[in-house]
Amino acid sequence: MLFKDLGLSEPLLRAVSEKGYETPSPIQEQCIPVVLEGKDILASAQTGTGKTAGFALPMLQLLSQGREKHNRPVRALILTPTRELAAQIGDELKDYSKYLHLRYSVIFGGVNQNPQVRAIKQGVDVLVATPGRLLDLHTQNLLRLDNVEILVLDEADRMLDMGFQRDLNRIIHILPSKRQNLLFSATFNKEIKKLAQTYLHHPVSVSATPENTTVEKIEQRTIRVDKDRKTALTIKLISEGNWQQVLIFTRTKHGANRLGQKLEKAGISAAAIHGNKTQNARTAALAGFKSGKIRVLVATDIAARGLDIPLLPHVINFELPNVPEDYVHRIGRTGRAGATGEAISLVGGDEVDYVAGIEKLLGEKFVRQVIPGFEPQDPETAPEKKQQNQRPPRDKKPHQGPKPQSNSVGGGKPKKKQWYGRR
Ligand code: AMP
């Protein structure tokens, strides 16, 4: 299947080709024709599947075919849980809309609203927003949403996790009732199903990567080790393996900071990324990591969610999440777009039970290892608070955000990117 077989217009095909995409990903193959038909979508897709282009490309096409309104009211609204994700979607919109006469803008809280308000006043066709700031501007009468034709709820599960349920309901009630709805979620719990039942109209269900297949290209192993030896073992693995780009997940912000500092002390450049860090610190950490200046990024789940870190060879779960689905999100950051990756989970005595839960979800058993010199001494105990289906404490809303963006033409020579995922 090629992009041109999906019914996309020439300006979009040109933009896609300049991005270096050769073939559509499975989620794109499924989403694009359905969105172009004007239907609602309920998509099971996580970051790394190409979902953004899956909704953005056909959305831009529909907007470009629609009748232009002279004052350019918002016609498509994309809601996302975090500022980083909003900014990333903005980056993709910029590339995809390069040859179209459409404008977009990205808004989120934690930064001065004035530049965002100015951008909106100039007229935008597509607005990418986090729910809080959107409502804020709407309440101040600085934003009209009565011309919205397409609503995208991206990472809907994470928006609900972050407590945006009420905001979402309020926003959706402001929108015109006749509209196209596209809901993307990595997991489908009761709340998401309810959201879908309440707001989607006869949605077409699409699912490109059932959760337990994303991990096929990733070698996964667990290493049983005592809690208080995890840092030393992490340092050993990174140094002896000479790993240059490693993403490490910890369960707490504090833990992320602590580990980052210890790695630095051991001569391994590291930065922590979590909700308590300023946006500037997070942006700098991510940029340093992407450019190779920083070898290790230590992150909490929510901070890493939605970040586009391509071709990541190593992920370490310093602590296992107690919700198996979170494991899948975490390691979804490795082995993307055809690259193989490795995911290592360090399992303390009280985390052994979590391994079983994750294996059950994935339907496969991990390779279990013990590293000589790090043989576990701690007894295997049940986790202190074992609460099935309850998420661990998360970072709340992050503080500041990247600078707002507006539409401008981007350059750069693309590399060819083949979609290697499962079909
Ligand atoms: P997403 O799941 O939307 O966050 O996309 C994950 C990554 O895949 C992003 O870096 C995209 O630029 C890239 N991507 C999206 N579609 C394709 C494609 N058809 N071929 C190759 N790479 C793609």
Side-chain angles (χ1 to χ4, degrees):
M1 175 82 69
L2 298 170
F3 276 103
K4 68 176 168 48
D5 303 323
L6 296 174
L8 291 174
S9 60
E10 196 279 328
L12 287 164
L13 291 175
R14 195 149 34 114
V16 162
S17 147
E18 287 186 13
K19 282 283 277 184
Y21 303 167
E22 286 191 327
T23 47
S25 73
I27 197 84
Q28 293 162 0
E29 281 184 12
Q30 295 176 67
C31 280
I32 292 172
V34 176
V35 178
L36 286 177
E37 277 180 51
K39 291 184 180 151
D40 281 12
I41 275 189
L42 179 58
S44 163
Q46 60 193 66
T47 299
T49 55
K51 66 183 165 67
T52 314
F55 65 74
L57 292 170
M59 181 192 83
L60 291 169
Q61 176 150 331
L62 291 178
L63 295 175
S64 68
Q65 288 166 346
R67 235 183 318 135
E68 260 186 40
K69 305 199 168 130
H70 79 282
N71 55 349
R72 276 192 192 268
V74 175
R75 287 187 290 150
L77 175 65
I78 302 170
L79 292 176
T80 77
T82 63
R83 301 132 214 250
E84 282 86 358
L85 188 59
Q88 272 172 214
I89 295 173
D91 288 342
E92 291 204 39
L93 287 175
K94 175 175 160 187
D95 293 339
Y96 302 144
S97 64
K98 208 166 161 180
Y99 299 111
L100 296 171
H101 301 287
L102 292 172
R103 296 178 59 85
Y104 74 91
S105 197
V106 182
I107 64 170
F108 38 72
V111 290
N112 187 332
Q113 70 175 38
N114 294 339
Q116 300 177 353
V117 173
R118 271 199 299 277
I120 292 168
K121 279 214 172 107
Q122 284 169 11
V124 290
D125 303 282
V126 184
L127 188 62
V128 188
T130 53
R133 176 54 60 97
L134 184 88
L135 272 177
D136 218 11
L137 296 189
H138 187 265
T139 312
Q140 298 174 62
N141 267 332
L142 295 168
L143 170 68
R144 294 190 59 169
L145 294 169
D146 45 7
N147 281 282
V148 171
E149 298 161 17
I150 302 173
L151 169 68
V152 181
L153 299 174
D154 194 21
E155 304 211 346
D157 49 352
R158 199 54 50 155
M159 283 201 274
L160 296 188
D161 280 353
M162 289 174 72
F164 284 132
Q165 171 109 47
R166 275 188 59 199
D167 285 356
L168 282 186
N169 289 335
R170 281 181 60 198
I171 293 167
I172 296 173
H173 282 112
I174 294 168
L175 304 179
S177 56
K178 190 173 169 297
R179 55 168 202 271
Q180 185 175 8
N181 303 287
L182 315 174
L183 186 154
F184 288 77
S185 188
T187 53
F188 280 87
N189 58 18
K190 263 204 333 254
E191 284 76 30
I192 290 290
K193 285 184 186 146
K194 194 166 159 225
L195 189 73
Q197 274 161 10
T198 314
Y199 296 118
L200 304 192
H201 307 289
H202 306 297
V204 176
S205 289
V206 302
S207 160
T209 45
E211 300 198 346
N212 52 4
T213 62
T214 37
V215 290
E216 279 186 359
K217 291 185 285 347
I218 302 166
E219 286 172 30
Q220 301 170 76
R221 56 188 163 117
T222 61
I223 301 178
R224 180 68 179 86
V225 57
D226 289 340
K227 240 187 202 160
D228 58 1
R229 312 275 334 268
K230 284 185 175 183
T231 305
L233 179 58
T234 304
I235 292 170
K236 176 185 162 77
L237 290 170
I238 296 173
S239 334
E240 291 186 1
N242 195 21
W243 297 348
Q244 294 305 322
Q245 243 195 346
V246 191
L247 179 61
I248 303 184
F249 285 97
T250 60
R251 275 168 83 161
T252 64
K253 303 174 213 174
H254 210 62
N257 283 338
R258 225 175 14 227
L259 181 59
Q261 284 158 7
K262 287 188 180 156
L263 290 172
E264 283 277 336
K265 262 200 196 135
I268 298 170
S269 53
I273 179 164
H274 53 67
N276 280 5
K277 293 268 176 186
T278 64
Q279 185 56 43
N280 282 347
R282 280 193 274 170
T283 310
L286 189 60
F289 185 63
K290 281 188 175 176
S291 72
K293 252 199 262 157
I294 292 170
R295 266 169 92 178
V296 180
L297 198 62
V298 191
T300 55
D301 285 280
I302 202 104
R305 171 91 178 177
L307 292 182
D308 182 19
I309 307 167
L311 309 181
L312 203 53
H314 302 284
V315 169
I316 298 178
N317 291 306
F318 193 78
E319 284 128 353
L320 277 178
N322 60 359
V323 178
E325 283 83 1
D326 279 355
Y327 176 88
V328 180
H329 291 314
R330 287 181 177 190
I331 67 163
R333 334 243 132 234
T334 185
R336 286 202 189 176
T340 48
E342 178 180 48
I344 295 176
S345 299
L346 306 185
V347 183
D350 60 350
E351 294 174 294
V352 175
D353 275 15
Y354 297 146
V355 177
I358 296 165
E359 286 180 331
K360 199 165 158 223
L361 176 74
L362 300 176
E364 62 182 279
K365 289 255 180 257
F366 294 135
V367 173
R368 287 168 160 72
Q369 271 190 324
V370 169
I371 305 291
F374 290 84
E375 291 83 358
Q377 311 293 322
D378 285 352
E380 296 189 0
T381 53
E384 279 161 30
K385 271 189 265 149
K386 194 171 151 198
Q387 293 171 314
Q388 219 59 67
N389 295 327
Q390 187 166 328
R391 294 187 178 271
R394 289 182 181 284
D395 300 349
K396 284 279 175 268
K397 297 179 195 174
H399 291 297
Q400 291 177 25
K403 287 217 159 65
Q405 311 164 23
S406 55
N407 205 351
S408 67
V409 174
K413 211 167 163 223
K415 283 193 247 110
K416 284 284 167 224
K417 290 184 209 152
Q418 180 79 31
W419 195 269
Y420 295 92
R422 266 169 69 104
R423 249 121 243 272

